[in-house]
Amino acid sequence: KKHKESLEQLKYPCTLDNDATWSEMRFLAKVHAATGQQKYKDGFLKGLRYLLKAQYPSGGWPQFYPLRPGYSSRITFNDGAMIGAIAIIDDVVHRRPPYDLADDRLQKKCQAAVRRGRECILKCQIVVKGKKTAWCQQHDQRTLVPAQGRISENPSLSGAESVGVVRYLMSIDSPSSKIIAAIAGAVTWFKEVKINGVRVLNFEDSSLPGGVDRKVVAAPEAPPIWARYYEIGTNRPMFIEKGVVKYKLSDLSHTKRIGHLWIGGRWPENLLKIEYPTWIEKHRNKD
């Protein structure tokens, strides 16, 4: 029976990638709240036990579990995998409806998982010259250092995934001094690495496949943008092809240039303008 189950897991691998598993769990909990049917609660709790089993002793979650060889086994902030997992377990811990479905024994296991997960997040935050910055898309599951993902996902500081990490930390009701420092360090880093005075635009070019090219152009009036990957230590935007780092979008091949949003995202914009100032005010009032 166990052999059959292992073969099924290889054939149909379970993942946290692209919102998988935890988003279906949220759906099941909401359907249970609407219908009261036990099967939806059972499905939610089955997913919860899966997440608890998938967590590393170091506190992080891999992209796939059961584990697969290579980058998929690393602690994965990419596409919100780790944050999606810890956030729903956190909802269970605090019995936030409709996720108040665990008995006391399972809830205690969830409490321990959240504690380890938060510690992992804080330890993974990349420190440069004594200053807290952001997170990599993947971290080594044992040492927690920034790690290689796919061939064009070199160890780096993420201008996108780090936003979700900060939002989770800001959701914690009574943040410790370490959590407050982590949030402040990341927000300072987002401000430091914003890119002013340019836009990333697509242009028609019939000589190229698909008839489109992408360029970075000067635009003094443009709002700030961010890059997806920043070089650790220099904060230079990185454009990566087959593991080789380049420092201009134009240095990538056409396929790579238009196939990924290397630069031009506005991921931290609302965080900096609205969410962080609101969070500061909320905790100032608590004091």
Side-chain angles (χ1 to χ4, degrees):
K1 183 180 177 181
K2 288 184 178 180
H3 178 67
K4 183 178 179 181
E5 287 177 351
S6 64
L7 290 176
E8 287 294 297
Q9 289 166 348
L10 288 172
K11 186 176 180 181
Y12 304 108
C14 300
T15 183
L16 299 178
D17 195 27
N18 294 326
D19 300 347
T21 301
W22 56 264
S23 61
E24 286 85 355
M25 289 171 62
R26 290 193 180 278
F27 176 77
L28 289 173
K30 291 173 183 177
V31 175
H32 173 263
T35 67
Q37 292 189 42
Q38 182 68 29
K39 63 181 179 180
Y40 299 114
K41 177 180 178 179
D42 292 343
F44 176 85
L45 293 176
K46 184 178 181 181
L48 185 60
R49 292 187 181 95
Y50 164 81
L51 291 180
L52 294 176
K53 188 175 181 182
Q55 187 182 30
Y56 279 119
S58 60
W61 274 269
Q63 186 185 54
F64 282 81
Y65 187 84
L67 299 174
R68 304 197 312 179
Y71 73 89
S72 295
S73 291
R74 295 188 174 120
I75 292 171
T76 303
F77 291 101
N78 192 23
D79 293 332
M82 164 128 174
I83 298 304
I86 193 173
I88 195 167
I89 297 174
D90 207 334
D91 286 340
V92 172
V93 168
H94 290 89
R95 297 194 184 279
R96 298 180 184 121
Y99 310 109
D100 50 343
L101 301 176
D103 59 26
D104 290 345
R105 183 178 179 184
L106 187 56
Q107 189 195 25
K108 286 182 180 179
K109 290 182 179 181
C110 290
Q111 288 174 346
V114 168
R115 184 174 61 252
R116 289 197 306 271
R118 290 179 180 178
E119 289 172 357
C120 177
I121 290 171
L122 295 179
K123 290 176 181 177
C124 283
Q125 189 172 21
I126 299 166
V127 178
V128 177
K129 297 179 181 178
K131 293 183 179 180
K132 296 180 186 297
T133 62
W135 290 261
C136 186
Q137 288 188 164
Q138 294 85 205
H139 287 254
D140 185 273
Q141 57 268 36
R142 295 181 181 86
T143 65
L144 306 185
V145 299
Q148 182 77 32
R150 288 171 289 190
I151 191 168
S152 293
E153 294 174 340
N154 292 19
S156 57
L157 292 155
S158 170
E161 275 74 15
S162 298
V163 176
V165 179
V166 174
R167 283 188 174 132
Y168 170 71
L169 294 176
M170 285 170 50
S171 76
I172 296 170
D173 292 331
S174 300
S176 66
S177 59
K178 288 183 179 180
I179 290 171
I180 291 170
I183 294 168
V187 165
T188 298
W189 180 80
F190 285 131
K191 293 176 179 177
E192 289 176 351
V193 301
K194 67 181 179 182
I195 301 164
N196 294 307
V198 298
R199 291 187 189 275
V200 180
L201 300 174
N202 288 347
F203 293 88
E204 291 185 8
D205 188 335
S206 58
S207 67
L208 293 170
V212 176
D213 199 4
R214 183 172 295 162
K215 298 179 183 179
V216 178
V217 299
E221 77 292 349
I225 58 174
W226 283 263
R228 184 74 183 268
Y229 308 94
Y230 289 88
E231 190 172 59
I232 299 170
T234 70
N235 285 335
R236 296 173 72 183
M238 298 166 63
F239 307 91
I240 310 164
E241 187 157 4
K242 295 181 180 179
V244 178
V245 176
K246 304 172 189 296
Y247 297 103
K248 294 180 181 178
L249 181 65
S250 58
D251 288 340
L252 295 176
S253 67
H254 172 256
T255 300
K256 277 291 181 183
R257 241 184 352 259
I258 65 170
H260 188 69
L261 186 59
W262 299 98
I263 186 173
R266 294 165 69 175
W267 304 286
E269 184 176 56
N270 283 341
L271 179 74
L272 298 181
K273 282 185 177 180
I274 301 170
E275 297 165 46
Y276 182 65
T278 301
W279 180 84
I280 288 286
E281 192 63 29
K282 173 184 174 182
H283 289 280
R284 182 181 292 124
N285 291 339
K286 282 185 178 181
D287 295 337

